[in-house]
Amino acid sequence: MKKSLLAIALLSAIYGVAAPATALAKEVNLLNVSYDPTRELYQDFNKAFAAFWKTKTGDDVVVKTSHGGSGKQARAIIDGLDADVATLALAYDVDQLQEKGKLIPKDWQKRLAHNSSPYTSTIVFLVRKGNPKNIKDWGDLVKQNVSVITPNPKTSGGARWNYLAAWAYAQKQNGNDEAKTKEFISKLFKNVPVLDTGARGSTTTFVERGIGDVLLAWENEAFLAQKELGVGKFEIVVPSLSILAEPPVTVVDKFAKKHGTEAVAKAYLEYLYTEEGQEIAAKNYYRPTLASVAKKYEAQFPKVNFVKIDEDFGGWQAAQKKHFSDGGTFDQIYSKQ
Amino acid sequence: MQFKLSKYAAVLIASGIISLPITASANDSAELEELRGLVQALSQQVKVLARKGEINEETADAAKKTTPIVKASSGGFSLSSPDGKNEIKFRGLIQADYRAYSSGANDVRNRSNQRAGDLDANGFHDATDTALLRRVRPTIEGKVGGKYGFRFTPEFAGGSASAVDAYVEANFSPAFKVRAGKQKSIVGLERLQGGGDIKFIERSYVTNAILPNRDLGVTVSGDLLSNKLNYGVGIVNGVNDGGNISTGNEYNGEREYTARLFTTPFNDSTSALAGLGFGIGGTYTKFTGERNLNFTDTSAADATRNGLPSYVTDGQQTFFRYAGGAVADGKRFRITPQANYYFGPLGVIAEYARVSQDVSLTTGGSLAAGGGGTNTAFVAGSNKKLKHDAWQVAASYLITGEDASFKGVKPKNNFDLDKGGWGAWELVARYSEINLDNDTFKNPAGTDFTGAYADLSTSAKSAKSWIAGVNWYLSENAKVALNYTHTSFDGGAGVGITPVNLAGTNITDRENENALLARFQVAF
């Protein structure tokens, strides 16, 4: 007994003197539940943040990520997926964390700059090399011989952006005649042979399976496909009008509190706004919000005539209710097909 | 499928290209373009079909993660979450019995019972043949969050409903499980065998007479050393020998401490000793009963307020009962070494149990007919430590070759007249006896047989029983059992209906009991 106590005391003394820093270091685990096309972004970002956090605190942070259709991911968190942070495709899905799960406060969007959207994106067309169907704008998507690839707006945040961009175009073309706009959207979805559940699935359908003439894609996803997945096989077409997508981020307070990770989760999201974080976003083809980085990568992103969710659709709550809720315009249009 | 279709499309395309020079002379370029377009459209359709198949598979896989699993099997009916962490199960056990007696008494001597009719010349009623429902037990059990569970088993047999098991539990790890509520006592080996799995229609004296049945309290148990050592400890209200506690409050205020260690040291070997298990269990409490004549008049093996048990035979007839003035008054200690062995179709179980119970004689108490009474008063100098013991050796052999085990039997071939299966057949035999302390039947001074803790001319000092039987397992869920049991006694009767005399010279042995017990059981 005495020998054991002595050994413990000796080990404690040696350890205490020789390794004071490591003795205090701890490993922190974070789960980031995100939408489909952010795999590459957060792969890079997580490494950078881990290095930053290690330098700052001495702690090791291990960030795990989960990806899927934005709506599905929100439901998974509400159903108990213990996310410390949520980085979803659109604000409506994050709102659900508050409304249905009471996991975050009502004013979550005010906690970080730019309505908690550290980067933006938009919707563009990805076509096959040479643009054989000569697709230049939304109007070309409803032609009879054009096959369009987009995911299901019921499950995918990206698909909802696609849908609204198409809607905005049709409204403008038809002088806000909603009947004609519905007819346009109906024709468009008649040209959609496969509805994937998420944006990455649609990219697989178009790029790897060789289906369709045009992919309605997140801008970052289109760049990725063009430059990394199928070099020289695809071209990006920027339509005459598109929508400014603002993917939001939030700490999932209830779970972070439960895990004791509130501080590191907050720091993780704040790091997205730093110059380093914005550089990583830009390199992964997301449009940075920090002016200096945006200026640096200005040439990378084409100029787009944007409509905005708040200004043109009355915000996500109104857009969701009108278009994507059960019995909404999408259901009306798609159920007839 | 996708590969085949794609290949087919590629062949079609290739055919178009290869045949170009041959057909060029016969067709103009517009037709070629049309053909090429057709093949490309066909190729797209094939790809779309294949992709839809992939998406359907992905959707189905995703749905599996959230779709509850409904099971209906021989193990019962259940509804569980896909990850298995949340589950509710519905199970049941119904036993329809028949008891026939060729000879034997239905109670201790000189106890009148209006329903059973007048006593015979020697003060007994004959045991009557009867059909009965022995167990009618639906069970709801489940777990939430993977760790926390519950079980509720009511009993509808016996003319009234009661809770057999009603507990909650937390399975923190295989080595550390906590259970609280009404539950089986952890100490007896045969008791821990399920009511539907026991090899005989009734359990032995060790289990039914000496050791507790079910009790209320908290137990901690677990498996250690790669499941070679099972331990259990508990703090419970405490219950009479063979007793099944009610779900109400405990009236005595003293806790009973229970513990058991059981080891299966060769369970991971392939040797003949792999099925050997042995261990020891025990209980300890201090217990003070109340003299309440109304309560001491209750049925055998029931919890009574005097804190003392009655004992029954294999044929479930009461042959021992304490005197009306006797109450538990002090320490109660039980110990039970136990072992079992399974090797192929052979199964053996051996158990011994000894109870040491401090008992006093009293006066006063409630009147038998109810109403006013007087306070229970202990008779000075009457406190005595009485030691009773029982043991059993039982063997079973599956003549149809199935492996024997502590749990039920799964026939190699279910009984099926159309397909020719005969189920599983098992022969069983047991010897079991119980011996009561000689001092039980003498007065506190030990000088004569009157004024004793029990009357030797009405309650027997020992019972020795052997049983032979056969079990027919029609399937995993259905069993027919037949037992023939013979029991002989030491004491328990006298001359005519005269009470025992001082010298005990008018004590004779109770008539042997021969009984045929039959059961048809369905369990799931």
Side-chain angles (χ1 to χ4, degrees):
Chain A
M1 181 66 179
K2 277 184 182 173
K3 281 183 181 172
S4 303
L5 284 173
L6 189 64
I8 291 167
L10 273 172
L11 280 171
S12 304
I14 292 164
Y15 199 64
V17 171
T22 52
L24 295 171
K26 62 180 186 222
E27 185 178 292
V28 185
N29 289 288
L30 279 188
L31 176 61
N32 173 6
V33 174
S34 193
Y35 61 107
D36 232 359
T38 58
R39 286 171 172 81
E40 294 75 16
L41 164 64
Y42 282 108
Q43 221 169 4
D44 294 346
F45 179 78
N46 291 346
K47 278 182 204 161
F49 178 72
F52 160 76
W53 194 249
K54 179 80 176 170
T55 309
K56 187 179 176 184
T57 66
D59 291 344
D60 294 312
V61 61
V62 179
V63 187
K64 289 181 182 167
T65 52
S66 164
H67 299 273
S70 183
K72 271 173 69 180
Q73 293 291 77
R75 275 193 293 277
I77 297 171
I78 293 163
D79 290 342
L81 180 61
D82 270 16
D84 298 283
V85 296
T87 55
L88 298 178
L90 45 93
Y92 178 80
D93 290 336
V94 180
D95 280 340
Q96 296 307 293
L97 304 184
Q98 198 284 320
E99 285 175 21
K100 293 187 177 164
K102 308 291 179 207
L103 303 170
I104 56 175
K106 257 188 176 175
D107 64 347
W108 65 270
Q109 213 161 3
K110 292 178 185 165
R111 295 194 293 189
L112 290 166
H114 304 294
N115 282 332
S116 290
S117 295
Y119 41 77
T120 63
S121 189
T122 189
I123 301 302
V124 297
F125 303 161
L126 190 70
V127 297
R128 302 196 185 279
K129 189 183 177 188
N131 195 359
K133 294 287 172 79
N134 198 27
I135 294 164
K136 291 179 178 168
D137 208 347
W138 294 98
D140 297 319
L141 305 185
V142 297
K143 288 178 181 170
Q144 248 186 350
N145 61 342
V146 172
S147 175
V148 181
I149 303 300
T150 179
N152 188 341
K154 288 286 203 179
T155 54
S156 162
R160 275 174 273 176
W161 289 114
N162 294 348
Y163 182 100
L164 293 178
W167 183 277
Y169 170 84
Q171 282 283 83
K172 190 178 173 190
Q173 291 297 111
N174 295 309
N176 291 328
D177 184 334
E178 202 162 299
K180 284 183 180 171
T181 298
K182 277 187 182 174
E183 195 184 328
F184 175 86
I185 299 289
S186 179
K187 277 184 186 173
L188 193 159
F189 273 91
K190 270 184 188 160
N191 285 348
V192 178
V194 179
L195 273 183
D196 286 278
T197 56
R200 183 53 57 92
S202 282
T203 304
T204 302
T205 298
F206 185 75
V207 174
E208 293 180 24
R209 301 290 182 266
I211 298 170
D213 302 309
V214 53
L215 171 69
L216 308 190
W218 288 99
E219 183 180 50
N220 52 284
E221 189 78 347
F223 272 119
L224 184 78
Q226 188 192 33
K227 295 190 176 176
E228 294 179 26
L229 301 178
V231 179
K233 293 181 182 172
F234 305 103
E235 292 173 15
I236 291 173
V237 173
V238 179
S240 64
L241 173 153
S242 192
I243 193 160
L244 179 67
E246 296 163 302
V249 300
T250 182
V251 172
V252 184
D253 300 67
K254 189 175 175 184
F255 294 136
K257 196 172 181 180
K258 179 176 141 190
H259 303 153
T261 54
E262 285 166 297
V264 65
K266 185 167 174 276
Y268 178 79
L269 297 184
E270 284 170 351
Y271 192 67
L272 280 167
Y273 287 87
T274 64
E275 197 160 337
E276 294 80 8
Q278 292 283 292
E279 279 270 352
I280 293 167
K283 282 176 185 167
N284 282 277
Y285 314 112
Y286 292 82
R287 295 181 179 229
T289 51
L290 188 67
S292 57
V293 182
K295 179 88 182 158
K296 183 177 171 186
Y297 286 88
E298 196 174 25
Q300 180 175 293
F301 300 102
K303 293 212 177 328
V304 181
N305 181 21
F306 285 129
V307 292
K308 293 181 179 176
I309 189 73
D310 289 333
E311 292 167 17
D312 296 276
F313 292 92
W316 260 114
Q317 289 288 344
Q320 178 73 23
K321 190 176 174 188
K322 178 174 181 178
H323 297 287
F324 309 118
S325 61
D326 290 341
T329 60
F330 176 72
D331 279 350
Q332 294 162 25
I333 288 161
Y334 201 69
S335 63
K336 286 180 186 168
Q337 295 186 14
Chain B
M1 182 67 182
Q2 184 206 352
F3 172 77
K4 281 183 182 173
L5 290 170
S6 302
K7 203 171 179 184
Y8 179 64
V11 169
L12 281 174
I13 295 165
S15 307
I17 293 165
I18 290 164
S19 62
L20 184 62
I22 301 163
T23 53
S25 57
N27 302 294
D28 59 29
S29 60
E31 283 177 312
L32 274 175
E33 277 307 307
E34 192 180 338
L35 184 61
R36 196 187 304 274
L38 198 65
V39 170
Q40 281 174 349
L42 182 62
S43 168
Q44 278 288 298
Q45 282 182 19
V46 169
K47 286 176 181 175
V48 166
L49 282 174
R51 181 61 179 154
K52 280 183 174 174
E54 285 179 351
I55 292 169
N56 286 341
E57 274 180 31
E58 284 168 16
T59 307
D61 285 345
K64 274 184 198 168
K65 291 175 186 166
T66 55
T67 307
I69 299 165
V70 179
K71 274 187 191 168
S73 70
S74 57
F77 303 89
S78 68
L79 182 66
S80 64
S81 59
D83 61 5
K85 287 182 176 175
N86 305 287
E87 184 178 42
I88 189 160
K89 271 187 183 176
F90 302 94
R91 300 171 62 198
L93 171 64
I94 300 177
Q95 295 173 338
D97 283 18
Y98 188 78
R99 295 173 185 165
Y101 301 89
S102 63
S103 61
N106 85 332
D107 205 344
V108 297
R109 182 170 166 253
N110 291 346
R111 283 174 60 82
S112 63
N113 183 331
Q114 289 177 341
R115 279 179 299 180
D118 294 334
L119 300 174
D120 65 18
N122 292 317
F124 288 105
H125 295 112
D126 287 335
T128 48
D129 300 351
T130 182
L132 71 152
L133 288 170
R134 179 66 176 82
R135 292 180 177 90
V136 181
R137 297 179 179 176
T139 291
I140 301 172
E141 61 185 15
K143 61 181 173 183
V144 287
K147 289 180 180 172
Y148 308 102
F150 67 91
R151 179 185 170 112
F152 174 59
T153 303
E155 174 69 272
F156 294 107
S160 62
S162 61
V164 176
D165 291 315
Y167 59 75
V168 292
E169 61 187 358
N171 294 311
F172 295 113
S173 81
F176 185 57
K177 302 170 189 172
V178 180
R179 184 178 287 179
K182 186 178 179 188
Q183 55 193 290
K184 272 188 176 182
S185 168
I186 59 171
V187 295
L189 179 58
E190 193 186 22
R191 175 60 64 198
L192 290 172
Q193 201 164 29
D197 298 333
I198 50 177
K199 299 293 181 184
F200 300 88
I201 288 178
E202 296 297 341
R203 292 181 170 99
S204 71
Y205 294 118
V206 172
T207 311
N208 269 347
I210 303 289
L211 299 178
N213 181 344
R214 278 172 167 85
D215 213 333
L216 253 168
V218 179
T219 57
V220 176
S221 64
D223 295 309
L224 305 171
L225 308 174
S226 305
N227 295 331
K228 286 187 170 65
L229 181 66
N230 175 269
Y231 76 93
V233 291
I235 302 176
V236 293
N237 281 352
V239 69
N240 291 357
D241 297 352
N244 183 1
I245 203 163
S246 75
T247 50
N249 292 340
E250 204 268 337
Y251 68 90
N252 173 258
E254 292 286 349
R255 301 281 78 77
E256 186 161 56
Y257 304 96
T258 62
R260 178 176 181 262
L261 277 177
F262 193 83
T263 181
T264 48
F266 312 106
N267 67 358
D268 56 358
S269 79
T270 53
S271 76
L273 293 174
L276 175 66
F278 55 91
I280 190 165
T283 73
Y284 174 78
T285 188
K286 282 182 180 174
F287 199 87
T288 306
E290 298 171 356
R291 187 176 184 205
N292 184 323
L293 296 176
N294 292 326
F295 281 95
T296 56
D297 211 21
T298 56
S299 65
D302 200 357
T304 59
R305 291 179 78 99
N306 67 358
L308 296 171
S310 300
Y311 295 141
V312 299
T313 63
D314 280 353
Q316 301 303 288
Q317 305 301 331
T318 306
F319 69 90
F320 172 84
R321 194 184 301 271
Y322 277 95
V327 297
D329 182 24
K331 293 174 184 173
R332 179 173 66 212
F333 177 70
R334 301 185 187 101
I335 189 160
T336 172
Q338 53 202 249
N340 60 9
Y341 177 67
Y342 298 99
F343 183 67
L346 174 69
V348 178
I349 184 168
E351 261 183 312
Y352 171 85
R354 183 178 182 85
V355 58
S356 166
Q357 171 77 66
D358 291 350
V359 181
S360 288
L361 295 175
T362 63
T363 58
S366 304
L367 298 176
T374 57
N375 291 343
T376 301
F378 290 97
V379 175
S382 67
N383 189 269
K384 185 157 282 190
K385 191 178 293 297
L386 300 177
K387 295 167 184 169
H388 314 315
D389 61 13
W391 61 274
Q392 67 139 331
V393 176
S396 60
Y397 190 85
L398 281 150
I399 56 177
T400 41
E402 287 82 359
D403 284 339
S405 80
F406 192 66
K407 294 187 174 175
V409 172
K410 188 175 184 181
K412 284 180 179 173
N413 298 297
N414 286 345
F415 173 64
D416 191 323
L417 285 175
D418 295 333
K419 294 177 184 170
W422 283 99
W425 289 79
E426 184 178 43
L427 300 177
V428 295
R430 178 175 78 199
Y431 181 81
S432 175
E433 65 177 54
I434 181 169
N435 296 290
L436 285 88
D437 197 321
N438 285 333
D439 287 345
T440 311
F441 303 95
K442 291 182 179 172
N443 63 4
T447 52
D448 62 61
F449 286 89
T450 61
Y453 303 90
D455 182 345
L456 189 55
S457 74
T458 58
S459 289
K461 193 169 72 174
S462 74
K464 297 176 171 61
S465 300
W466 60 262
I467 289 183
V470 60
N471 293 322
W472 178 25
Y473 300 92
L474 289 83
S475 74
E476 199 177 350
N477 302 104
K479 178 169 82 169
V480 173
L482 194 66
N483 288 179
Y484 180 78
T485 169
H486 170 85
T487 304
S488 59
F489 305 92
D490 182 3
V495 178
I497 58 169
T498 56
V500 65
N501 59 27
L502 288 175
T505 53
N506 61 342
I507 295 167
T508 58
D509 292 340
R510 181 181 166 117
E511 184 186 4
N512 289 345
E513 178 183 286
N514 296 308
L516 191 67
L517 312 177
R519 169 170 294 164
F520 179 35
Q521 163 188 304
V522 172
F524 57 89

